[in-house]
Amino acid sequence: MSETGGPEHDYEPVPGLPARLPEGEYILWQGAPSSAAVSRHVLKTRWIAGYFAVLVAWNISAGLYDGRQPSEILFSSGALAILSTIGIGLMEAFAWGVQKTTLYTITNKRIVMRIGVALSATFNLPFTRIVSADMREGKNGVGDIALTLLPGDRLSWLVFWPHVRGFRKGALMPQMICLKDVAIAGNVLAAALASTRTPENAARLATPATKQTGRATAGRIIEAAE
């Protein structure tokens, strides 16, 4: 794969962007998800591996209790182990594909999300359409930034998954997922949103800050940038 994410992205004049930026607009930050974090937090591979481990242990204990032949127990347990390995391997491959084909871009006017493993698509989210941004940071610095958009934006869950958090008031929340050093992206977005504030939208963007650990609303981000 090329540095732009694959042959299908070689046409991009700037990596992650479908066209050159207009005059006066410039890139502030670019980043992609961590494949390890996508595997662990989005696809829950550790939980799935644990589930299969319990199945194998149960199969062995049940076989011994029923008096089955060791060869039968070994065969059935091996089959379960092989199936689990194949399944988890496919999920790890998907997580790798998410990392290689995704590129998030923050400019001074918008967020651009180039996403899609099987079918690549690029979405422009202007700051004027963003109501709030919610950052969640883990202990290792990896985290997500979810975006609440103005009513009227119809987005597809199937198209955006796994780059979504859920719904707020019936509207889909696009999300930049599994970012290493998510605080850096959050600070960049904070400064960019703060610089675009006007008297008309200041009240809309400046929401109360939450005190929960590892979580900040758009208001908290913007306040930190002022």
Side-chain angles (χ1 to χ4, degrees), residues 196-205:
T196 61
R197 288 198 304 172
T198 64
E200 290 75 16
N201 66 17
R204 172 172 61 84
L205 289 174

Side-chain angles (χ1 to χ4, degrees), residues 6-81:
E8 69 274 20
H9 299 132
D10 288 342
Y11 70 90
E12 295 174 335
V14 179
L17 302 176
R20 295 191 180 277
L21 293 174
E23 185 176 356
E25 186 175 4
Y26 49 87
I27 295 174
L28 299 175
W29 175 90
Q30 282 189 314
S34 162
S35 60
V38 172
S39 172
R40 184 167 60 253
H41 299 301
V42 178
L43 302 179
K44 309 296 184 184
T45 52
R46 288 185 175 180
W47 287 95
I48 295 174
Y51 171 76
F52 276 107
V54 170
L55 284 183
V56 171
W58 177 265
N59 182 73
I60 294 173
S61 62
L64 293 174
Y65 181 80
D66 294 337
R68 294 164 56 192
Q69 293 294 324
S71 58
E72 295 178 358
I73 298 174
L74 181 62
F75 178 81
S76 57
S77 299
L80 282 173

